[in-house]
Amino acid sequence: MDEHGRRGVLKAGGALGALGALGLAAPAQAVPWTWSATGSVAGTGTGADPRWVWDPEADTLVASVILRGDVPKVNALLRTWKKNGQPLPDELPPDLRDFMERARRLPPWADQRKLATAYEFNEKRGLYLGVLYGFASGMMSTVIPKEARAVYYSKGGADMKDRISKTAKLGYDIGTRNAYAPDGEMIVTCVKTRLVHAAVRHLLPQSPHWDAVADERIPISQADMMVTWHSLPTTVMRKLTAWKVPIPAHESEAFLHSWQLGGHMLGIADEYLPASWAEADAQAAQVLTPILAATPEGIELADILLGLGSAVDAGVLSKPILGAFTRFLLGDRIADWLKIPREPIWDPLLRTAWGPFVAVREGLLPFPTAPQVYWLFDEFLRKAALLFLSELRPISIEIPDANRPS
């Protein structure tokens, strides 16, 4: 831990400091960066440790936009930019407009045939993906210490329903037929999110609350972005494989390609994006699995996320069931970290009936008179997809100009 980290620990008093003493999981020590860029989509790289690489062009630019007081004007203009092929507003500051014109271009390795296949995959597996993005990925974010702290102390942490809807938009947009086409929205969502990340890198170090607990000087490094990336496609594919969902190789490759492209558009350097699922698993074993741990911020965020289900609860979706599904997907260790209670009915039901349910749904196990619990599972999938992906009111991803106002 560097001197900044030591000072942060010493300053971490108050409620969060007290909570930290109550047996929370100790974060594992960072593993030296050894993953080779030969396994990336670029096939080569500088070898730089991504923990010390950010997004320099975007970071310098957005810091300037904030310091110039241009954020309200820029956000108002960008509310009108909704489709990938739509021209950028002429009134944007010239330096920001020039950057965004470059940032919106697809890389030369984008493969339209794979993207078309990725849509077919998303269409067939949409209900599974909705649940996995919400619980396997979304809830995992609360035990990624740096991400949990960055979310909690930034402006978005004050309104988690709004924040999760913006995160869900990424999962929704990438699954549409025209995700990266001119009439789609995935490029817009990625570029706006890249600007938000740059703003958070400028603002969060100014927060005394974040500074008191953080073990870094600047948040959202390339390594942090890759950790989040692995919590999405890598984790989703691992779960689908564990459930024995039959996925043709070309669909699996196409799904990966759509997320490789998404990572690139979010500002992740190509030398850090895995070129295959084998490389993704190898990298995740180094950067994701060892760093998972509980934090007071993550526990509070998890409780908020589990409470969001009440908005669409129709007797099936409720906080206990959401908690049980989180335990089923992420395991007892993480669920206990997040203080999720054990459910005497739903926990064993998910363990014993989920596998056969998937087999029936995939046509692998004929079961014409499927029990009522299978209908409940199917209804749960639909409700969860509605909550995390489809309940999207008009959403505007906007550049923050302040930290959490508390």
Side-chain angles (χ1 to χ4, degrees):
M1 182 182 295
D2 62 17
E3 186 59 32
H4 178 82
R6 292 189 183 91
R7 286 188 286 109
V9 170
L10 291 173
K11 290 187 289 182
L16 289 175
L19 279 171
L22 297 178
L24 293 184
Q29 294 297 314
V31 178
W33 177 252
T34 59
W35 189 79
S36 173
T38 58
S40 70
V41 296
T44 186
T46 64
D49 188 327
R51 290 173 296 180
W52 307 106
V53 183
W54 290 269
D55 191 356
E57 184 180 11
D59 295 347
T60 300
L61 172 63
V62 175
S64 175
V65 170
I66 294 172
L67 293 171
R68 295 190 312 238
D70 284 344
V71 170
K73 170 189 172 183
V74 166
N75 282 334
L77 290 169
L78 289 183
R79 285 180 204 128
T80 68
W81 185 50
K82 299 178 180 179
K83 300 295 181 181
N84 299 333
Q86 186 180 343
L88 290 168
D90 290 332
E91 299 84 357
L92 283 173
D95 53 354
L96 178 61
R97 196 173 191 280
D98 290 346
F99 169 77
M100 291 179 67
E101 287 289 6
R102 295 192 301 276
R104 71 191 293 189
R105 295 175 193 153
L106 293 176
W109 47 266
D111 187 322
Q112 295 301 323
R113 287 183 302 175
K114 288 183 178 178
L115 292 178
T117 301
Y119 169 71
E120 295 174 6
F121 170 82
N122 283 302
E123 188 177 39
K124 287 193 289 188
R125 311 300 179 197
L127 290 179
Y128 297 144
L129 294 175
V131 172
L132 289 170
Y133 285 148
F135 296 105
S137 303
M139 294 302 291
M140 183 180 287
S141 70
T142 66
V143 289
I144 298 173
K146 290 182 179 181
E147 182 171 350
R149 293 183 184 119
V151 169
Y152 188 88
Y153 293 109
S154 61
K155 189 174 183 179
D159 186 351
M160 282 303 294
K161 187 166 187 177
D162 178 71
R163 206 266 182 187
I164 196 66
S165 70
K166 291 174 179 176
T167 303
K169 190 178 190 310
L170 187 74
Y172 177 83
D173 289 344
I174 201 170
T176 59
R177 180 187 297 276
N178 54 356
Y180 294 98
D183 60 336
E185 299 185 12
M186 182 62 178
I187 294 174
V188 173
T189 295
C190 286
V191 173
K192 287 184 178 181
T193 301
R194 187 175 177 184
L195 297 177
V196 170
H197 287 168
V200 171
R201 291 188 194 100
H202 174 74
L203 294 166
L204 208 50
Q206 302 173 38
S207 164
H209 308 288
W210 178 81
D211 185 65
V213 296
D215 58 359
E216 57 189 339
R217 289 193 174 98
I218 304 171
I220 318 180
S221 68
Q222 291 279 317
D224 296 332
M225 288 193 286
M226 282 311 306
V227 168
T228 300
W229 189 91
H230 284 299
S231 76
L232 289 155
T234 307
T235 299
V236 165
M237 187 53 68
R238 284 175 171 176
K239 291 298 179 184
L240 292 176
T241 301
W243 293 349
K244 299 180 180 179
V245 175
I247 303 171
H250 71 288
E251 290 186 5
S252 175
E253 183 181 353
F255 179 64
L256 174 61
H257 183 73
S258 69
W259 274 104
Q260 290 167 334
L261 202 52
H264 173 94
M265 302 307 291
L266 286 166
I268 299 174
D270 288 356
E271 68 176 278
Y272 300 125
L273 290 168
S276 67
W277 286 119
E279 290 291 351
D281 287 333
Q283 191 187 89
Q286 179 177 338
V287 303
L288 174 64
T289 308
I291 59 91
L292 298 178
T295 61
E297 298 86 355
I299 292 170
E300 185 171 338
L301 292 176
D303 188 63
I304 293 170
L305 292 176
L306 292 177
L308 294 180
S310 60
V312 291
D313 194 343
V316 175
L317 192 65
S318 61
K319 191 171 183 178
I321 300 175
L322 295 177
F325 216 91
T326 300
R327 180 176 293 276
F328 173 66
L329 287 174
L330 297 183
D332 289 337
R333 183 168 174 248
I334 289 177
D336 291 344
W337 284 350
L338 295 175
K339 304 188 185 303
I340 296 174
R342 294 177 184 268
E343 299 297 331
I345 296 175
W346 278 93
D347 286 349
L349 194 61
L350 283 165
R351 286 195 301 269
T352 58
W354 184 258
F357 162 72
V358 171
V360 168
R361 206 169 188 280
E362 295 298 320
L364 302 176
L365 180 64
F367 205 153
T369 57
Q372 184 75 3
V373 67
Y374 289 5
W375 179 88
L376 290 176
F377 283 165
D378 206 60
E379 186 67 7
F380 173 84
L381 286 167
R382 296 179 190 282
K383 296 288 185 182
L386 174 67
L387 173 63
F388 287 102
L389 294 180
S390 303
E391 195 197 36
L392 298 178
R393 298 169 301 281
I395 293 169
S396 180
I397 298 174
E398 303 196 348
I399 302 170
D401 56 4
N403 291 311
R404 182 174 180 141
S406 61

